[in-house]
Amino acid sequence: MKYRFLFLILLIVGCNKQQTTSTSLLDYIPTNTTLLIAINDNSVFDSGLVNNDFLKSLRKNEIYEAVFNKLQGLNHANPKTKSILAFTELGKGKFEFVYITKNKPDLFEIDDVKDKVIETLTYENRTVNKYILDGRTFFSMALEDKLVVSSSQILLENLIRSKGERKLDPTLEKLYRIANPDKPATIFINANDANSLLYSMAKEGSTIDFSHFSDWISLDIDMGQDHIDLNGVSMANDSIKQYINLFKNTAPLENITSQFAPANVDAIASF
């Protein structure tokens, strides 16, 4: 009898337990994402983007400048939790962004913006807000407990249509799980679709096909005004010929080149 009474208590507790579900930020990225940045510390990452000398020099690059200008609307965002910034190519060399973070009432601070227009749109019974701030246009919508912001209305509409039907790339999922949460951000590059983006940063006349290098590349990033530190891994598809497979079954070795360099050396290149 005692055992029956105990079983009844456990059954009642189990039935009354609230079921909670949580969606990953990855669930909201476009299926054809070329580059993704998981931002752990928004203030440190933003500071690096603005002040880093190398990134300043990249603003002369046509694609980088166009993307950088589109991102200016996010200057009004003040996220308190982890966020994701994904870039997708819509048309050759034309990249649009999708920004995802947990939704908060004070996430966007636009009360002081004088030059602004706000419109409310509807798509498949979903509310989409259109913002024009200081001449720059972006769109936003709330999905579950997340806020999704994009420079492209098309990307938000695609997300609405495909929500719950899309499958995440398992390689990206694996790299996302092992990324260092203590770094300001982690960059994920889809090498299969990154030719347009990486060609723009490569030496003029370069014919390297980056899609043959690997599948996905993950890089934890730490940067200051005069440095960028990248540390990460790359994963390949065993069924496709990719350069990174040349290192398959090889053990890593400690790099000791610096121990043999002259004391007054300015730079070292080691492979």
Side-chain angles (χ1 to χ4, degrees):
M1 184 68 182
K2 291 181 180 180
Y3 295 109
R4 293 181 180 178
F5 181 69
L6 177 61
F7 176 75
L8 181 60
I9 292 176
L10 291 175
L11 182 61
I12 293 173
V13 171
C15 291
N16 289 334
K17 185 177 180 181
Q18 290 184 348
Q19 298 295 323
T20 58
T21 58
S22 177
T23 53
S24 168
L25 295 175
L26 282 182
D27 293 334
Y28 303 88
I29 66 171
T31 53
N32 54 340
T33 293
T34 299
L35 182 144
L36 183 148
I37 305 174
I39 305 171
N40 299 312
D41 191 320
N42 189 72
S43 60
V44 173
F45 182 69
D46 278 354
S47 177
L49 286 180
V50 173
N51 299 315
N52 184 266
D53 293 333
F54 173 71
L55 294 181
K56 285 181 181 178
S57 68
L58 283 181
R59 292 177 194 173
K60 299 176 184 178
N61 178 284
E62 184 176 346
I63 291 180
Y64 184 91
E65 182 182 12
V67 171
F68 186 83
N69 287 335
K70 289 179 180 179
L71 290 174
Q72 296 309 297
L74 295 181
N75 288 341
H76 304 284
N78 187 30
K80 303 297 184 183
T81 57
K82 185 173 183 176
S83 57
I84 276 183
L85 184 60
F87 296 95
T88 300
E89 187 174 16
L90 292 182
K92 188 174 181 180
K94 295 181 179 180
F95 287 86
E96 304 290 346
F97 76 82
V98 170
Y99 178 79
I100 310 114
T101 191
K102 190 169 184 178
N103 199 0
K104 295 288 185 181
D106 58 347
L107 182 59
F108 271 88
E109 301 172 350
I110 60 174
D111 291 341
D112 295 334
V113 180
K114 295 181 179 179
D115 183 11
K116 63 183 176 184
V117 177
I118 304 175
E119 297 180 38
T120 300
L121 312 174
T122 302
Y123 183 78
E124 294 194 359
N125 298 320
R126 290 278 188 178
T127 298
V128 177
N129 294 316
K130 178 180 179 181
Y131 296 87
I132 304 177
L133 305 180
D134 297 324
R136 296 184 177 93
T137 302
F138 63 92
F139 305 83
S140 76
M141 67 176 178
L143 284 177
E144 286 80 33
D145 62 338
K146 307 295 189 297
L147 183 72
V148 185
V149 182
S150 180
S151 56
S152 168
Q153 184 176 349
I154 292 175
L155 288 180
L156 290 190
E157 292 175 353
N158 289 344
L159 178 58
I160 293 172
R161 288 198 303 269
S162 62
K163 188 70 179 75
E165 300 177 357
R166 298 177 303 117
K167 291 185 178 180
L168 287 173
D169 188 307
T171 303
L172 173 60
E173 265 192 297
K174 186 181 296 183
L175 291 174
Y176 185 79
R177 286 198 303 268
I178 65 174
N180 190 343
D182 296 325
K183 295 297 182 181
T186 301
I187 299 175
F188 303 89
I189 303 172
N190 183 355
N192 296 310
D193 296 321
N195 273 337
S196 293
L197 181 65
L198 298 180
Y199 272 149
S200 68
M201 301 179 185
K203 183 178 179 180
E204 187 175 352
S206 174
T207 57
I208 298 175
D209 189 344
F210 293 98
S211 64
H212 290 166
F213 178 73
S214 69
D215 194 8
W216 279 89
I217 302 168
S218 169
L219 298 168
D220 295 323
I221 183 170
D222 195 0
M223 57 184 167
Q225 181 177 349
D226 58 355
H227 74 277
I228 297 181
D229 297 328
L230 300 171
N231 183 31
V233 296
S234 180
M235 297 184 69
N237 189 329
D238 290 336
S239 62
I240 302 175
K241 289 185 178 180
Q242 293 177 323
Y243 298 137
I244 199 69
N245 281 325
L246 294 172
F247 300 97
K248 191 174 182 178
N249 299 323
T250 60
L253 298 173
E254 182 182 0
N255 192 325
I256 59 174
T257 305
S258 60
Q259 298 179 19
F260 301 96
N264 59 344
V265 69
D266 292 327
I268 299 174
S270 177
F271 303 92

